[in-house]
Amino acid sequence: MPPKDGKSAKKKGGISKAEKERLQREADEQRRRDEEEARVIAEHEEIERLERERIEQEKQEQLELKDRERREDELNELRHILDENHSAVTVWESECRDKAKWERYMRCNGSPDPSVQPEINSFISLWREDSETQIQQILVKCALALQLTNELDFLLSEAPDPCVAQQYRETLLCLQSIIQCKLNQATEELLKFANSHSDIETGNMQTVIQDENITLCLWANLNKNPRFKGFQFEEAGLGFELPKPLAVNDIAVRILHTKYDHLSHHSEREQLQRRRSVMDAILTPPTESAAAVPDEKMEEVGGDEGESSKPVEEDSRSLRSESRKRSAVSVISAKEGRKSSSVKQLEEGESQMEGITTALEADQNGFNSSAAEPVTDSADVHIVDLQQFTPLGGVFYFDVFHLPPQSRIVKGWEMRELQETGLQIFPHPTEQSRIQSSTSVKPDEHSSTVASFPVGVTVALPDSILFLEDPHVARWDPFGQHWRADCISEASYDAETRSISFKMDTFYAFTLLQESYANMPFQSWELRPLGQDSALFTITGALIEVCITVKGKQCMLQTEETKNLDHLLGKWMSPSELQKAMRRAGINIFVNEYSDKYVSINPKDPLIEHTVYEQMALMSSAAAFSWSRWNTQCGQEHLVLQACEQLEAGPVAEEAWSLYLLGAQRNQHLKMKEHDDSFSPELAEGSEFHSTFLHMLRQDMSIEGQARVRQSHYLYTDTVQRLLCATRVLTYS
């Protein structure tokens, strides 16, 4: 029986089946209790969540109701402020124009008034008939003529009547033509006496004559040395190289550098006409397209430049006046009810026509992010797109002439052959050199011309231009009236000497180019007040940072890049003058209706964007504004930016910034901060909805801040608005 005792002992040490069942029941009961407890907790949490949502919904509805109740009052107040400012600016501009006309009338320096046709016609006729050929006298007259062309440019920017505008354009072209003609006459006169001014060392004549507008470098080949390679005009920073066939001929080489550009507008005019035709095609309804074709053909048959430009002037003039009358309030109201397609097309047409007329009045435009594609000649890729590239530093006229007959001394008499042909272009390459080149050099498959005897050029970059990147070179095509990038080879840029060298297949006028939007898109921006009617606008571009100080109706440029900008930095000027000066200096932060085709942007509704700029300008004396990375996350119908009250002139404290979500009908202060990990539209504690950004910010502003906003001068707010609309930082950042 011992074995039985062992088995029973083993059984006593284990768990019986009944015990297992009991434990299983207890575990099941515990699980059911836990599940029931979790269910109760979940139900309780769901009830609490629903209650919170109900409370939030009620709070939201109350805020929305409150916003709707005061919406009309807020819009009316904003409309009143904007209308008052607009009227005051319009009156001031009219008074300035009248004052300028009176001062021009009372000017007694002998210069004609270009707006008075008899006066300017008499000036042109007398100058054309003037036989004066001395270079210094001609340079003085050219300087006066250039002042008159600048006045005509300003008059054209004022959008006069089409007939008057046509007269101004014809006068402008006539002045530009006679300036070049007189410079050619002076060049010929200098070359006639080349042998009397020859250099002892080289045996040739070389001279440099310059003033504030023109640099004339002239070289006459008197020695005809076959080993001659080239010459460097050190004082002008210009040089050239000649092939051997030219070095043994009676020739003269001229490099005429004009700081002004009288060529690019010819190409711009043609591109403008093409863009206008594209815009007309967009705006013409399908049912009218068939009827529009004969009209276009009739315009082509007429071929008159004045006739073709008439509709542009009339449309642009009326549209500019209309765009000035629009306010932010009408923009907001328009967004409440969705616009019909025809209204949208009209707005697109306004925006495009405004940009075509002048980019300097971008702050008056209804911005259009879906503007027509820029028009270029797709069949010729060498034509320079003047929307993508900007000519800088003026034009370099590079010419080779027949050397006029030189005087000879015969039996004590100085004898000279007189010719009435004027300056004669020396053909290069000649027919003989073309034959030699075609038999000895293989044509380049990728070039439209046979590689012949190229001429070399070296140009030191102008001191008044800031090139953000290595410059490009383009040559002028006098037949196609375009800048072109072909027929140029072996271009190399020396950053240490700031000079560029290249070769061309013959002699052309050329210019230096820079990408128009090299400094875009912007990395960040900030607008902060410096006091009453004073602010600092800072844009950190892709390559350099630009600061513009605004004080009253004037602006002043500041930048870390001070080299080559001494003529521009620290100078007070109007917004339009500043934009022109910055573009001429190579610093472009301004956009037009075609800029988005060349820059990666953050597209926003242009009407909402314009509305925000108007209200930012109103508050810029007391509030600071800044870029937000969340602006790219909220879609096209909303804008996100940072803002806060700032009454001191120093930098804004990081913790002072608040985020604002802005839309067509509602503006709100966000609870989140700029450096949060995710975007949330949750409303900040104690904040409310407002129909305008102005009232949104003003609700938390101090009494002193509100006083500053009320006391802001209309010219100051207009200046800030112009800068914001010209840069469009909310889209191009």
Side-chain angles (χ1 to χ4, degrees), residues 4-5 23 41 68 77 79 110 112 270-271 340 378 596 603 640 655 661 667 669 673 685-686 705 707 713 715:
K4 280 186 178 181
D5 294 339
L23 293 174
I41 293 174
R68 286 194 297 270
E77 182 181 357
R79 179 184 293 110
E270 182 178 342
Q271 293 182 16
S340 66
S378 58
D596 60 337
V640 175
E655 63 275 6
L661 177 65
N667 301 272
H669 181 187
K673 292 293 185 180
E685 291 293 333
H713 198 276
L715 292 179

Side-chain angles (χ1 to χ4, degrees), residues 360 546-550 554-558 568-569 571-585 587 589-590 719 723:
L360 298 182
V546 177
C547 299
I548 299 175
T549 302
V550 181
Q554 292 189 310
C555 309
M556 180 177 67
L557 175 66
Q558 297 174 319
L568 188 57
L569 297 176
K571 306 291 178 61
W572 291 101
M573 54 190 78
S574 68
S576 58
E577 291 173 341
L578 179 69
Q579 291 181 43
K580 291 178 183 177
M582 288 178 63
R583 284 195 178 101
R584 285 196 298 264
I587 307 174
I589 57 172
F590 309 105
T719 300
L723 288 176

